[in-house]
Amino acid sequence: MEINLNDKNCIVHLEMGNANMELFLKYEKELKKALEGNERRYCHSISVALTAVNLAENYDADKDNCLVAGILHDYCKNMTLDELFSNCEKYKVNLTEEDRMADGCIHGFLAAKMCKELYDINDEVYNAIYFHTCGKPNMTILEKIIYIADFIEPLRRFRDKVSDIRKLAYKDIDSAIVAASEASISFLTKREKFIHSNTIKTLEYYKDVVSKR
Ligand SMILES: [Fe+2]
Ligand SMILES: [Fe+2]
């Protein structure tokens, strides 16, 4: 089966490949409700999920976990900052001072917690959603796949070096993480945004992994 995503001016055809249709339809329906009115973010999420399934086939990872984490990773992306903070209180997400300053990461922390409560996602999927924005040292293959799929999915067009990182992701995911976290840091620096220490630790850790081979 093929899915067509119409993201404003561009239509992207994605192969469903071996993705689990039952799981896809179950969570896609929930995502549609959560992201109502935000077609662009909905398309991005589905595109991340199918990219993650392709990467799972490449790295022999769990396809169902990749599919679910990909669909749900931006579940809270429609919320304003005030809504994010109030839902973090409601769902008992403990935010450090640094988490509050790196406000682009909060939607991932909250999405993991809400999806755990609402859909009882497993711990592997929870962590992949939780860490999808900043990454962390020593990620599982599922966490790495969601981090990179979010960066390289085919609707992403304007990020620095995305086409190089897209090719690298299938050959050497650790090097792709180095390149993606460097690009994220440079993107945030240019916009004078606060950078979470986990983003910097991710870059340092995977630079070290790659250099020690
Ligand atoms: Fe996100
Ligand atoms: Fe995303």
Side-chain angles (χ1 to χ4, degrees):
M1 185 190 158
E2 192 181 70
I3 183 166
N4 297 323
L5 297 177
N6 190 346
D7 177 20
K8 297 238 165 75
N9 301 322
C10 59
I11 297 175
V12 173
H13 304 279
L14 293 169
E15 278 297 326
M16 287 293 290
N18 293 325
N20 180 329
M21 278 310 288
E22 202 181 317
L23 269 185
F24 177 83
L25 293 171
K26 174 181 171 188
Y27 289 109
E28 180 270 345
K29 194 175 70 186
E30 301 302 333
L31 180 76
K32 213 170 223 167
K33 280 189 258 167
L35 296 184
E36 202 185 342
N38 192 343
E39 186 72 10
R40 190 154 181 262
R41 186 57 52 177
Y42 167 83
C43 290
H44 160 74
S45 301
I46 301 301
S47 187
V48 167
L50 298 183
T51 302
V53 171
N54 284 337
L55 284 164
E57 283 175 353
N58 193 67
Y59 288 105
D60 203 18
D62 188 303
K63 290 199 283 274
D64 288 354
N65 280 346
C66 284
L67 181 71
V68 176
I71 293 173
L72 297 176
H73 79 286
D74 276 345
Y75 187 86
C76 296
K77 200 72 182 183
N78 248 11
M79 294 182 189
T80 63
L81 203 50
D82 282 348
E83 286 168 338
L84 285 170
F85 284 131
S86 63
N87 277 295
C88 280
E89 274 185 35
K90 181 176 171 191
Y91 287 91
K92 299 189 172 51
V93 179
N94 296 319
L95 297 174
T96 62
E97 199 48 47
E98 185 183 25
D99 294 339
R100 288 175 179 275
M101 286 163 74
D103 55 33
C105 296
I106 299 171
H107 72 276
F109 306 147
L110 179 62
K113 205 71 187 272
M114 279 184 76
C115 292
K116 179 89 190 156
E117 278 214 26
L118 298 172
Y119 313 121
D120 196 26
I121 54 170
N122 65 38
D123 291 348
E124 288 96 330
V125 170
Y126 174 94
N127 284 327
I129 296 174
Y130 193 93
F131 293 109
H132 86 265
T133 47
C134 318
K136 72 177 180 80
N138 198 18
M139 288 189 273
T140 63
I141 186 64
L142 171 63
E143 290 158 5
K144 289 181 194 181
I145 284 174
I146 297 302
Y147 182 83
I148 278 300
D150 192 24
F151 200 91
I152 65 160
E153 62 89 356
L155 297 171
R156 291 270 202 217
R157 280 157 204 269
F158 304 109
R159 283 186 148 172
D160 288 349
K161 299 177 186 161
V162 70
S163 54
D164 295 341
I165 298 171
R166 202 169 270 145
K167 285 177 214 144
L168 194 55
Y170 287 87
K171 289 189 206 135
D172 177 356
I173 200 164
D174 290 342
S175 294
I177 290 169
V178 171
S181 49
E182 270 174 347
S184 295
I185 289 169
S186 114
F187 178 88
L188 292 166
T189 306
K190 273 185 211 152
R191 279 153 191 80
E192 297 181 342
K193 297 280 272 177
F194 181 79
I195 299 166
H196 199 289
S197 64
N198 272 358
T199 308
I200 296 159
K201 284 180 197 160
T202 303
L203 173 60
E204 284 169 357
Y205 180 89
Y206 284 98
K207 253 186 176 170
D208 197 42
V209 166
V210 170
S211 74
K212 280 183 179 155
R213 284 179 192 154

